[in-house]
Amino acid sequence: MLGPRRRICLSAAAFIVGAPLAGCGGSQSPERVVRAWSKAVNRGDNRGAAESFADGAKVIAGDSVRVLRTRDQAEAFNAGLPCSGRIVSLKAAGAEVTATFELADRATHQCHGVGERGSIVFRIRHGKIVVFDQIGA
């Protein structure tokens, strides 16, 4: 049986070893990845939003497919998004998350659909967005 002092030391050691891993991409749930991306976009942090994307992520909008091969391309993609959005619905099934947003202006762009809803299907792998599919309302 462990004494109270030994239990505290073991608990502290487990925290110190585990804490750095808590921020790793692979440990994040798909829902958390989507929420983090959304928060970054909403605050105008395009670099932070780009960090949510894996190299080689596919962005799909209708028949158009674009591959974001680098972090700079992901940052440019996020910078070009005209709308921010409050998440109004989030549905997860394994690695796939469907998020519905109520659209709003960004500090750097005027959104032409303010107040409307739009949905995106995200596929997450190892804590990163690998597919971003704009499916509409």
Side-chain angles (χ1 to χ4, degrees), residues 34 37 95-99 101 120-124 129 131-132:
V34 171
W37 170 82
E96 200 166 275
V97 178
T98 302
F101 301 88
I120 301 169
V121 174
F122 297 86
R123 190 164 304 123
I124 311 300
I129 299 166
V131 174
F132 178 103

Side-chain angles (χ1 to χ4, degrees), residues 101-120:
F101 301 88
E102 183 176 312
L103 304 178
D105 287 330
R106 291 185 75 185
T108 55
H109 292 88
Q110 183 177 2
C111 176
H112 295 291
V114 171
E116 294 177 15
R117 291 188 176 190
S119 295
I120 301 169

